[in-house]
Amino acid sequence: MLLLLAAFAAGAGELHRCVSRTGQVSYLSASCPDGQRTDRILQFVPDPVPAPVTTRTGKASASGNRQSSRQRTVASHKPEPSPCQRAKARREAQLDQLGLKRTFDDLSRIDAAVRVVCNGF
């Protein structure tokens, strides 16, 4: 039992929350430096690092876990861009096409189309 307690204590750590005079917060593994006060000390036990999972070929997987092909396709599927994102992409394409030969009227016209779709943003 003492061996288990010693192993637990060796893996545990402390995180010091330090606050400067200006109110800036930082987290350190050591005590706070001069000019900063210790707001609190957090005790933690780090998560164990999982060992890499080997595949049938004997090579280690980069992600450490295996996913089915269905999970991979769902994870790699990009959602449809919103109408606002599409309008902003069109604006960028139009600005690239105009180059430096932009007039104030061109910019106003292009931005007005985005404002309508994005509700003013």
Side-chain angles (χ1 to χ4, degrees):
M1 182 129 160
L2 288 174
L3 189 60
L4 251 159
L5 185 60
F8 177 75
E14 289 184 347
L15 191 63
H16 298 258
R17 185 175 191 259
C18 305
V19 181
S20 69
R21 289 186 178 115
T22 60
Q24 186 176 10
V25 177
S26 59
Y27 292 90
L28 303 172
S29 59
S31 60
C32 298
D34 292 337
Q36 293 187 358
R37 67 178 171 83
T38 302
D39 185 46
R40 65 183 71 129
I41 299 174
L42 306 167
Q43 302 291 329
F44 70 94
V45 177
D47 291 335
V49 178
V53 177
T54 56
T55 61
R56 289 183 185 175
T57 60
K59 295 181 182 177
S61 170
S63 65
N65 60 1
R66 289 188 262 177
Q67 295 178 337
S68 69
S69 61
R70 178 174 164 77
Q71 288 173 328
R72 278 189 290 249
T73 56
V74 170
S76 65
H77 176 69
K78 293 181 182 177
E80 279 291 314
S82 70
C84 181
Q85 290 171 331
R86 286 194 302 266
K88 288 180 180 180
R90 273 194 306 272
R91 174 181 58 189
E92 290 302 316
Q94 289 173 338
L95 290 174
D96 287 342
Q97 186 179 12
L98 285 173
L100 295 177
K101 297 179 182 179
R102 307 172 187 177
T103 64
F104 181 76
D105 292 333
D106 292 331
L107 295 173
S108 296
R109 178 180 43 82
I110 293 169
D111 286 340
V114 173
R115 276 194 297 276
V116 168
V117 176
C118 297
N119 298 322
F121 295 107

